[in-house]
Amino acid sequence: MIDFELPPGAKLARKMVHGLSEGTFRKLSRYYDSYEHEHEEVKELKAMAPMIRGGGGLGGGAKKEKPKDGAPKAERKGTGGASLVAVVAAEELAWGDAGLMLAVPGGGLGNAAINAVATPEQKERFGTRFAAMAITEPGFGSDSSAVATTAALDQKTNEWILNGEKIFVTSGKQCDVVVVWATLDKSKGRPAIKSFVVEKERPGIKVTKLEHKLGIRASDTASIVLEDCRIPYDNILGSAEIKPEEGFKGVMKTFDNTRPLVASMALGVSRAALDFTIETLEKDGIRVRYDAAPHQMTAVEKEIAECEANLEVARLLTWRAATMMDEGLRNSLEASMAKAKAGRAATLVTQKCVELLGPLGYSTRWLVEKWMRDCKINDIFEGTNQIQMLIIARNILGFGREQLK
Amino acid sequence: MISFTLDEDQRQIQDMTRKFAAEELRKIARDCDEKGAVPEELLAKSWELGLVTNAVPEKYGGYAFARSIVTGTIMAEELAYGDLSLALAITSPALFVMPLMEMGTEEQKDKYLPTFCKGSFQAATLALMEPRVQFHVGDLRTTAVDDGDKFLLNGEKCCVPLADQAEWVLVLAASNKGAGPAGVDAFIVPKGTRGMKVGEREWYMGIRPLPVFPLSFADCEVPKENRLGGTRGINYMRLINLSRIILSAMAVGVSRASLDYCLTYAKERYAFGEPIASRQAIAFMLAEMAMETDGMRILNWKAAWKADRGEDCTKEAYLSRSYAAAQTMKITDYGVQVLGGHGYIREHPVEMWLRNGRGFATLEGLAMA
Ligand SMILES: Cc1cc2nc3c(=O)[nH]c(=O)nc-3n(C[C@H](O)[C@H](O)[C@H](O)COP(=O)(O)OP(=O)(O)OC[C@H]3O[C@@H](n4cnc5c(N)ncnc54)[C@H](O)[C@@H]3O)c2cc1C
């Protein structure tokens, strides 16, 4: 039955995480934005990490439940409510501060990837370590089939030898381990791309550059070079076999889980901006009259209402994608819809908020201008808006990659 | 608990209305649009479906299948997917029955409801809109003045569905001018009442099959007992909200119709050696149409869900309506664009959906849950 009542667990997570976010993140927001690279390690976050991971930071969500014997198929594969809790919590964290949220140890996308596919033994070794995700390279971003970083097996030592350069790795500096996408054989295309966990203490892995960004400055974005970097055989995630029929499915599956989370991030930041804008305008006596005559509503009222509708649509699409994940249903289409809608809507909402607050909106005396800068990333990473539209279109048309490039 | 899937009852109702819409509405939609008429047989046939009267309690002769507003939106979407005008026509008696059921006094229900449970289509309608550029539901200019044992109605209405055949018209009028929505009452005005004049049929850009009429009231006398809800009056904003929710659900149906038609077309139509759907300029329009259709629907469900809980949903209904109106305009416009010149030709339905889609920002009080 169609219902919009959040389960108690999600409500509780929302309340707790919101408190944490308000009490801690908001106070640090401006500082870490202003001192992008000059600041020390974000100490406050170390202490918060376990709490936030519990509430479902980026990597915290969607842990698979133990399969119950005799449970129906859907139940066996689903995440049993964890995905919904994760997106609800992620919105609250990002409402506090998106950059800091990404910098929370263990809350990264690498951890989400590990959680999704690791063996028990790997979970044991890597579960508590802060993992970054390295897909992007200088030569490509959207086209992740173009991975040029190589992984070769040294038969004698049973080690993988990795070579290549990764860029734009979120938390690449701060993390303990990096999940690296590398190809076993470039000539074999997508099925040969695998992910490997590389510990930062291995010889041959080096952080070579830190980016200076438009927003989310509390979160470091690093280049990482791998030069004959050796890792144990068992650091590969999933199977080492090249199965042409499986194509890209294995590695792509993590996106079904992480895209709704990025959508939630977008929602959190833009809700922060919109709530602030509404409150501030109310102090000036400007209030949206939902029952006013259309010809009498001001442009500002209409714009606020439009922002509200757009964010609510994005939120419901996101909750739908997460709920499907929890129910063990395939949700690639819905995850992309959530990400596309939220990324775009949130970007536009934050930009509108800066405008609506006049000179003060543009000023750094408030955080609205920062939220606008922070929010834009959600329209880019984890697949740009255009890539999401591509996925949606292929899905509804029943087209493969060759039919729609 | 949170869920985005229909329950078994809802799925059955969806299946039934979807089938009916495909077989009875879609097939004749273009022909009806050209002729500007709804076939009598369709009204009769749809009545058998019990779309309106199933919800009437048994003591008045109905089946008491109380259904939620969410379920109402599911039906409305499916019917409008078949055809908007025909959907509005076959559900038009609900414009009278639903407010009566929710807000009428016992005597009023006793008096009017049984007529609707007798097996043949019974026309009845609602008069809300007024012919003014600045028309707004919160500012009705049709007035009702207390005149001792009766009310005197004065003013102009427009776009009243089936007003020519309606046995009763539920007329919304300001009984306390200046009090906004709180000062609005609904009056049951029987056909042929002196002082009520049904004008010549009106024509709009879209919804052409639906017969709509202007009404004028000149010192039209309405007995006191015909005030809906008696001295209690009505919850006018709730009526408006319910109407907005159902109309928005119909907007989802129209949008989905356009989307589905385009998906098929874009795969079959070749340009430059490949299906036009293989070009991003087309594919991304389709993706946006699909995403926004889903988005509108969920937003609408949320408003309906709130209305089902009896809570004030003025804001949700407003947002759902304005979002649905804007998106439907865009989607039905894309619908024509995807077909190019062919979309402009009346052989294809997309131009009709564009004309129908344009109405959602304007129309009020044409559907009810
Ligand atoms: C702050 C930040 C953090 C990041 N974190 C990570 C991380 O942790 N790990 C990681 O691996 N990567 C990360 N990235 C990289 C990010 O995922 C990529 O930047 C993104 O996927 C886009 O790739 P690109 O920048 O190379 O753009 P390109 O792929 O060069 O795209 C440029 C433009 O072309 C469009 N385009 C590309 N292909 C198509 C197509 N087929 N159809 C239509 N349009 C197309 C794109 O939408 C975009 O508008 C991060 C990036 C940033 C800025």
Side-chain angles (χ1 to χ4, degrees):
Chain A
M1 192 177 71
I2 309 300
D3 195 357
F4 294 94
E5 187 76 34
L6 283 176
K11 277 191 191 159
L12 185 67
R14 174 156 75 178
K15 200 165 155 226
M16 280 171 47
V17 175
H18 185 85
L20 207 63
S21 210
E22 186 168 35
T24 313
F25 281 7
R26 280 286 173 95
K27 295 194 179 79
L28 306 171
S29 267
R30 182 56 79 184
Y31 174 79
Y32 287 105
D33 183 66
S34 304
Y35 298 93
E36 182 170 18
H37 293 292
E38 295 76 10
H39 67 71
E40 296 284 301
E41 189 184 345
V42 191
K43 290 185 290 293
E44 295 86 345
L45 297 182
K46 278 247 157 97
M48 285 172 76
M51 277 184 284
I52 286 177
R53 279 204 299 275
L58 275 187
K63 287 194 195 73
K64 289 197 176 139
E65 301 236 300
K66 278 252 170 63
K68 284 183 229 139
D69 284 336
K73 205 169 169 209
E75 208 173 310
R76 257 185 287 144
K77 284 222 209 99
T79 41
S83 293
L84 183 67
V85 171
V87 292
V88 167
E91 179 177 336
E92 295 312 315
L93 286 174
W95 177 90
D97 192 281
L100 289 166
M101 167 190 186
L102 289 170
V104 172
L109 295 171
N111 289 92
I114 291 175
N115 276 335
V117 293
T119 63
E121 180 271 332
Q122 287 171 327
K123 274 197 186 144
E124 180 78 14
R125 279 198 293 146
F126 307 126
T128 57
R129 308 200 72 186
F130 184 5
M133 185 85 180
I135 306 170
T136 308
E137 299 180 7
F140 79 90
S142 301
D143 181 10
S144 40
S145 70
V147 168
T149 297
T150 56
L153 187 63
D154 181 341
Q155 306 275 4
K156 276 182 273 165
T157 60
N158 206 26
E159 287 171 318
W160 298 105
I161 308 170
L162 272 59
N163 277 290
E165 182 182 1
K166 294 290 178 183
I167 62 167
F168 296 171
V169 182
T170 296
S171 303
K173 174 183 157 217
Q174 231 211 118
C175 67
D176 307 316
V177 303
V178 188
V179 176
V180 174
W181 284 27
T183 176
L184 299 181
D185 182 348
K186 188 118 205 327
S187 71
K188 295 224 168 81
R190 293 182 169 82
I193 298 172
K194 303 284 172 186
S195 47
F196 302 84
V197 184
V198 183
E199 298 95 329
K200 290 273 276 301
E201 57 271 21
R202 302 268 170 209
I205 181 169
K206 208 160 66 194
V207 171
T208 53
K209 186 182 174 197
L210 294 174
E211 304 292 348
H212 295 74
K213 305 191 297 293
L214 173 66
I216 54 164
R217 292 180 182 161
S219 158
D220 74 75
T221 306
S223 296
I224 289 180
V225 169
L226 298 147
E227 226 171 44
D228 288 331
C229 178
R230 287 170 171 269
I231 53 169
Y233 183 87
D234 288 336
N235 280 22
I236 188 169
L237 291 174
S239 137
E241 225 182 304
I242 300 174
K243 294 186 202 141
E245 70 283 2
E246 276 220 342
F248 227 22
K249 281 191 201 121
V251 277
M252 282 298 175
K253 227 179 139 42
T254 43
F255 288 130
D256 296 344
N257 180 11
T258 54
R259 281 178 179 150
L261 288 164
V262 174
S264 279
M265 255 179 82
L267 281 167
V269 184
S270 54
R271 196 188 91 214
L274 187 58
D275 283 356
F276 181 81
T277 302
I278 290 172
E279 280 164 29
T280 308
L281 289 174
E282 278 183 3
K283 284 184 200 144
D284 273 9
I286 298 164
R287 188 180 237 113
V288 183
R289 298 160 299 161
Y290 300 97
D291 53 0
H295 302 86
Q296 279 163 6
M297 260 176 122
T298 63
V300 172
E301 287 177 89
K302 285 193 176 175
E303 283 174 339
I304 298 258
E306 197 184 328
C307 288
E308 287 185 305
N310 272 285
L311 290 193
E312 184 68 358
V313 166
R315 179 174 297 109
L316 295 173
L317 287 174
T318 304
W319 287 2
R320 177 176 73 166
T323 302
M324 289 175 73
M325 190 81 175
D326 284 335
E327 289 166 355
L329 302 171
R330 195 174 154 68
N331 72 341
S332 304
L333 170 65
E334 290 77 10
S336 280
M337 279 187 178
K339 165 73 166 73
K341 179 69 193 177
R344 197 74 211 125
T347 298
L348 296 176
V349 165
T350 53
Q351 291 170 0
K352 183 54 74 182
C353 287
V354 169
E355 179 191 337
L356 288 175
L357 295 176
L360 292 176
Y362 197 59
S363 142
T364 57
R365 121 172 37 179
W366 286 338
L367 288 169
V368 186
E369 63 81 26
K370 175 185 173 316
W371 288 326
M372 178 187 131
R373 289 184 286 109
D374 285 351
C375 200
K376 179 65 199 169
I377 191 58
N378 297 299
D379 216 6
I380 300 171
F381 64 7
E382 288 293 289
T384 62
N385 185 270
Q386 289 70 28
I387 295 302
Q388 307 306 330
M389 295 310 263
L390 208 52
I391 296 170
I392 297 168
R394 283 179 189 152
N395 252 289
I396 59 176
L397 286 161
F399 273 9
R401 209 178 286 118
E402 283 315 305
Q403 288 156 293
L404 179 60
K405 293 205 177 70
Chain B
M1 214 181 41
I2 195 156
S3 164
F4 295 87
T5 36
L6 311 189
D7 61 27
E8 199 38 47
D9 279 354
Q10 288 169 336
R11 212 185 323 274
Q12 273 180 19
I13 288 178
Q14 185 185 50
D15 282 350
M16 178 194 71
T17 35
R18 183 173 291 179
K19 199 157 157 276
F20 181 81
E23 285 165 10
E24 307 292 341
L25 306 185
R26 181 63 72 84
K27 280 185 189 153
I28 60 169
R30 170 56 80 183
D31 192 42
C32 292
D33 184 70
E34 292 292 327
K35 293 195 177 113
V38 181
E40 286 295 323
E41 315 87 75
L42 177 70
L43 295 178
K45 208 167 204 172
S46 66
W47 199 252
E48 289 164 20
L49 222 60
L51 293 175
V52 175
T53 49
N54 270 353
V56 175
E58 274 167 2
K59 62 172 167 174
Y60 309 111
Y63 292 101
F65 292 152
R67 50 169 191 259
S68 67
I69 293 153
V70 170
T71 305
T73 67
I74 293 166
M75 289 175 50
E77 175 183 338
E78 293 306 328
L79 294 174
Y81 180 81
D83 184 70
L84 175 65
S85 314
L86 300 177
L88 290 172
I90 64 181
T91 59
S92 62
L95 294 171
F96 183 82
V97 172
M98 296 301 178
L100 185 65
M101 266 177 23
E102 189 162 326
M103 297 170 194
T105 62
E106 274 315 308
E107 298 79 55
Q108 290 168 339
K109 289 189 227 181
D110 277 336
K111 183 166 175 193
Y112 301 103
L113 284 179
T115 324
F116 290 90
C117 302
K118 283 201 186 121
S120 55
F121 184 84
Q122 173 62 63
T125 192
L126 178 107
L128 170 64
M129 285 192 285
E130 299 174 350
R132 274 200 316 285
V133 171
Q134 295 200 38
F135 167 72
H136 171 51
V137 294
D139 175 30
L140 297 186
R141 304 277 168 86
T142 299
T143 55
V145 176
D146 192 331
D147 189 35
D149 58 343
K150 57 189 183 300
F151 286 96
L152 290 180
L153 299 189
N154 279 288
E156 304 280 331
K157 293 286 180 185
C158 68
C159 202
V160 184
L162 281 70
D164 57 334
Q165 8 171 345
E167 202 56 43
W168 300 284
V169 185
L170 193 62
V171 180
L172 292 159
S175 51
N176 182 2
K177 243 183 146 260
V184 173
D185 268 301
F187 300 91
I188 300 167
V189 185
K191 188 178 191 166
T193 300
R194 210 150 53 92
M196 172 170 81
K197 188 168 155 258
V198 181
E200 265 194 33
R201 181 171 172 180
E202 297 175 284
W203 295 93
Y204 289 81
M205 173 204 247
I207 55 167
R208 293 180 55 84
L210 184 72
V212 288
F213 299 84
L215 292 182
S216 56
F217 298 88
D219 283 338
C220 176
E221 293 185 11
V222 181
K224 274 266 154 90
E225 67 262 25
N226 284 20
R227 176 185 178 193
L228 191 65
T231 47
R232 201 164 15 95
I234 57 168
N235 183 345
Y236 173 61
M237 267 330 277
R238 184 161 169 90
L239 278 193
I240 295 297
N241 294 338
L242 294 183
S243 160
R244 286 178 168 179
I245 289 169
I246 295 301
L247 275 172
S248 302
M250 291 189 173
V252 180
V254 173
S255 298
R256 202 182 94 215
S258 195
L259 164 68
D260 282 355
Y261 196 83
C262 289
L263 282 176
T264 310
Y265 187 88
K267 283 202 274 189
E268 288 168 357
R269 175 72 178 172
Y270 273 63
F272 301 96
E274 57 181 4
I276 55 170
S278 288
R279 304 281 170 152
Q280 288 191 351
I282 296 294
F284 284 14
M285 278 199 271
L286 298 172
E288 195 178 344
M289 291 161 84
M291 178 174 84
E292 294 298 358
T293 303
D294 277 13
M296 271 197 258
R297 180 186 301 114
I298 311 186
L299 190 67
N300 186 239
W301 280 350
K302 173 104 188 264
W305 173 78
K306 202 143 185 239
D308 271 329
R309 297 177 20 139
E311 294 169 21
D312 178 28
C313 60
T314 303
K315 176 177 171 182
E316 287 77 7
Y318 169 83
L319 292 180
S320 177
R321 174 177 186 259
S322 58
Y323 196 79
Q327 295 302 331
T328 303
M329 188 67 253
K330 181 173 75 187
I331 289 168
T332 54
D333 173 66
Y334 281 7
V336 172
Q337 196 65 27
V338 167
L339 271 72
H342 294 266
Y344 201 74
I345 309 294
R346 298 220 295 275
E347 248 164 60
H348 291 284
V350 285
E351 64 79 31
M352 180 173 79
W353 292 326
L354 173 67
R355 287 185 284 113
N356 288 344
R358 179 64 284 182
F360 291 106
T362 306
L363 302 173
E364 299 261 24
L366 284 199
M368 200 59 79

